[in-house]
Amino acid sequence: MLLLADPMALASEIDPILHVDLVHVGRFGVGVGRAHWQGGAGTHVPSMVYSGREGEPKRDDPLQQHSSRTACQGRNPDCTSRSGSTTGHHAALATGEANRIKRGKPMQVATTTTTAFCAHPHTKPSSAPFLRLSLPCRVSFRASLRPNLRATAMAATSQQQKQLVITRPDDWHLHVREGGVLEAVLPHSARHFGRAIIMPNLKPPVTTTARSVEYREEIMRALPPGSSFVPLMTLYLTDNTSPEEIKLAKKSGVVFAVKLYPAGATTNSQDGVTDIGKCLPVLEEMVRQEMPLLVHGEVTDPHVDTFDREKVFIDRILAPLVQKLPQLKIVMEHITTMDAVNFIESCEEGAALLLEWPYTFALFNGYNTFMFPGHVAATVTPQHILLNRNALFQGGLQPHNYCLPVLKREIHRQAIVSAVTSGSRRYFLGTDSAPHDKRNKECFCGCAGIYSAPVALSLYAKVFEEAGALDKLEAFTSFNGPDFYGLPRNTSKIFLRKSAWKVPTTYKHSSGEIVPMFTGSTLDWLPSDQPEE
């Protein structure tokens, strides 16, 4: 991690090709930024956000002496200097001369700013009053040195790779339903996944530990003979869930998380949370029990555009919640936007907490600095890294590509692909495989959900191969999830062979059929428990 009292010190710390996230500590605030260097031995100082405090001048900021202008002057209501969700009272984006300071050979530099969770004049206040915080606040930020992978060269190498051997993956977001559908779909997940977080949105939902234990027994009875698959159960959070239920869930040894569905957000979510403030005692108990909160991150406000619901949820609910309960482990499920990526990155593991403490010995210019573990992560589905919203309409309305959260623009898909193939530990596999009978998808009010369990591993391999990042696939599928949950990694292996296979058009169940993702298509990677002969 680079903690810079003098940004110019960066020049001696970096390699020719790096992505570097920076934290600059000033007397009255914290500056954060990200830079991409490419080229010779010189360097540029990147643009940085200076987050000051209410009523305090922006003096003692080293970047100010090099800046000929700022993009945000104090409380100017007309300021438009936001990049992503840059925040902080009196935020100033240092530009001008700061970007032109260099040593040695000129280089190309591109800078962006990232999220800090201070109140900003442009940010809509939280809709949950109990979550609002006063300044001074904490600013968390990740610092990492990542090599810039050459996707083209890696893709060429992968063409010669006929087989991948990876640790058996887990699915950290799975729907298996009940009855005949459960019996039909469970073998598809159990064949290649070691464990799965089982979603609780049944009819009625799984709201108690006792019901969770019963549901687990149903799943175990439906497993194929000899299967070692382990279902990891969850509770469905409601306005009436009690802290005592969380204690029972932890003690049971079979419940591993609690799922937050905003009421009305998705399938069978009508019993979900209507007011996050009502759940505060439960969330505090979850911190004590070290039980993660799994979040369906969408608001249900009818005045919010469907395609903006994830971003608004982050701004109004999730970011304030992370501030209020920074030790609560949170998984943002099935992320769909670059806004979610920016949020996850700002909370990433390995962040530093920089907090002014004027009455103690200062480590860095009047600030105490210490590290804390990451508590926010995300699952990523195959559909949200392969499809954009055009897939809903190409060749007519496509109900089997309809899911919630709904598919987004191509720019968002690309942002998620970049994040998951970067090697970051904060993203892991969660298929959100959601089987529905074909008749319930192809009707006047079709169900939301994509059935991906039979094809998920093949599709993830496709994405990582195209990104030139097959070397990052195993961590995403098999390591990052158990590491976040504090569970051991699987010890068995599976094989992904470069062998074309055709996806069946449907899968039968007791009273109908289910259409899988990429139905009838030919895929290049074939999962197997046996190596290629």
Side-chain angles (χ1 to χ4, degrees):
M1 174 144 195
L2 300 177
L3 292 175
L4 305 179
D6 178 10
M8 293 298 294
L10 181 68
S12 62
E13 300 291 335
I14 64 172
D15 291 331
I17 301 173
L18 293 173
H19 298 279
V20 182
D21 290 346
L22 306 173
V23 178
H24 172 254
V25 184
R27 185 180 300 275
F28 294 104
V30 178
V32 296
R34 172 177 293 178
H36 173 194
W37 279 261
Q38 182 173 354
T43 184
H44 285 261
V45 175
S47 298
M48 304 180 80
V49 175
Y50 181 75
S51 302
R53 294 195 201 168
E54 185 78 33
E56 293 181 339
K58 299 187 290 293
R59 60 180 181 269
D60 288 349
D61 177 15
L63 288 179
Q64 290 294 328
Q65 60 185 307
H66 304 300
S67 179
S68 61
R69 64 186 182 277
T70 60
C72 177
Q73 297 292 339
R75 298 171 178 271
N76 181 0
D78 297 322
C79 166
T80 58
S81 65
R82 298 189 68 196
S83 174
S85 302
T86 303
T87 58
H89 279 294
H90 297 268
L93 181 63
T95 57
E97 294 300 322
N99 268 344
R100 291 190 287 273
I101 299 173
K102 56 184 179 288
R103 284 185 283 182
K105 182 179 178 181
M107 301 169 61
Q108 300 173 355
V109 61
T111 64
T112 60
T113 53
T114 60
T115 302
F117 304 127
C118 311
H120 189 275
H122 300 181
T123 303
K124 185 173 181 179
S126 169
S127 60
F130 84 96
L131 292 176
R132 296 174 188 162
L133 299 181
S134 58
L135 296 174
C137 68
R138 293 182 297 180
V139 178
S140 63
F141 198 75
R142 177 175 61 86
S144 64
L145 303 179
R146 293 200 302 261
N148 183 16
L149 295 177
R150 299 295 193 271
T152 302
M154 291 291 292
T157 301
S158 72
Q159 294 299 319
Q160 305 172 5
Q161 194 162 4
K162 300 299 184 182
Q163 179 172 278
L164 296 174
V165 182
I166 64 173
T167 301
R168 185 171 298 276
D170 301 304
D171 188 345
W172 299 98
H173 186 127
L174 179 65
H175 301 267
V176 292
R177 312 302 188 201
E178 298 177 274
V181 174
L182 168 64
E183 294 174 354
V185 303
L186 185 59
H188 296 151
S189 294
R191 182 173 298 120
H192 301 304
F193 293 100
R195 297 164 290 197
I197 286 283
I198 306 297
M199 292 295 106
N201 57 331
L202 306 180
K203 290 184 179 180
V206 181
T207 58
T208 67
T209 302
R211 176 65 184 109
S212 185
V213 171
E214 292 176 358
Y215 186 30
R216 183 180 187 277
E217 292 173 354
E218 294 173 20
I219 294 172
M220 296 301 292
R221 288 194 296 268
L223 283 172
S227 174
S228 60
F229 178 83
V230 178
L232 309 176
M233 310 308 293
T234 60
L235 292 185
Y236 184 111
L237 185 65
T238 73
D239 291 346
N240 301 315
T241 301
S242 68
E244 288 70 29
E245 193 64 53
I246 301 303
K247 294 177 184 178
L248 287 173
K250 183 68 174 183
K251 187 177 180 179
S252 73
V254 301
V255 177
F256 289 84
V258 175
K259 182 62 182 281
L260 166 60
Y261 290 104
T266 189
T267 304
N268 297 340
S269 63
Q270 61 273 11
D271 297 310
V273 173
T274 63
D275 181 357
I276 189 67
K278 296 179 179 179
C279 301
L280 183 58
V282 171
L283 300 176
E284 291 173 335
E285 185 60 39
M286 289 172 61
V287 172
R288 288 188 284 270
Q289 299 296 332
E290 298 183 340
M291 183 166 288
L293 177 69
L294 315 182
V295 176
H296 181 110
E298 292 187 291
V299 298
T300 56
D301 183 344
H303 298 100
V304 177
D305 188 279
T306 296
F307 294 98
D308 295 331
R309 289 181 176 180
E310 183 171 274
K311 179 183 184 301
V312 174
F313 182 89
I314 294 170
D315 293 341
R316 293 185 184 178
I317 304 297
L318 194 54
L321 178 59
V322 170
Q323 278 193 287
K324 183 67 177 179
L325 296 174
Q327 297 304 310
L328 177 64
K329 298 190 81 169
I330 297 174
V331 179
M332 192 172 184
E333 303 275 40
H334 41 52
I335 61 171
T336 67
T337 62
M338 67 170 62
D339 306 280
V341 170
N342 289 338
F343 177 77
I344 298 300
E345 291 290 318
S346 72
C347 301
E348 192 166 3
E349 185 177 12
L353 181 65
L354 302 106
L355 184 63
E356 188 172 13
W357 198 263
Y359 306 111
T360 64
F361 177 77
L363 297 179
F364 289 91
N365 294 341
Y367 281 77
N368 285 323
T369 304
F370 58 92
M371 303 294 292
F372 66 95
H375 286 83
V376 181
T379 57
V380 180
T381 73
Q383 60 262 32
H384 291 117
I385 52 177
L386 277 165
L387 306 176
N388 61 39
R389 64 187 188 179
N390 289 342
L392 290 166
F393 310 109
Q394 290 173 337
L397 191 63
Q398 301 295 326
H400 297 287
N401 288 338
Y402 171 53
C403 60
L404 288 173
V406 71
L407 301 172
K408 302 298 195 300
R409 291 179 181 271
E410 174 64 11
I411 191 172
H412 295 293
R413 186 195 70 82
Q414 291 178 5
I416 299 171
V417 170
S418 295
V420 301
T421 60
S422 69
S424 170
R425 298 175 60 196
R426 310 315 297 160
Y427 306 94
F428 39 86
L429 184 157
T431 64
D432 192 19
S433 181
H436 291 283
D437 186 87
K438 180 180 179 181
R439 293 165 296 184
N440 293 331
K441 292 286 289 182
E442 301 175 1
C443 63
F444 74 96
C445 186
C447 296
I450 295 177
Y451 184 52
S452 61
V455 298
L457 286 181
S458 300
L459 296 179
Y460 285 122
K462 170 182 170 67
V463 171
F464 276 74
E465 179 182 31
E466 291 175 352
L470 280 174
D471 59 321
K472 304 293 194 299
L473 178 64
E474 184 178 31
F476 173 78
T477 61
S478 312
F479 297 162
N480 298 345
D483 291 354
F484 183 84
Y485 275 83
L487 297 173
R489 297 175 179 178
N490 294 322
T491 56
S492 61
K493 304 290 185 179
I494 68 164
F495 304 87
L496 286 166
R497 297 203 303 267
K498 200 67 178 293
S499 177
W501 67 283
K502 188 173 182 179
V503 180
T505 55
T506 61
Y507 290 96
K508 303 292 184 181
H509 66 93
S510 59
S511 59
E513 54 188 2
I514 300 165
V515 177
M517 186 178 179
F518 276 45
T519 176
S521 299
T522 298
L523 302 181
D524 292 334
W525 290 95
L526 178 66
S528 173
D529 287 332
Q530 302 297 326
E532 186 176 22
E533 296 180 358

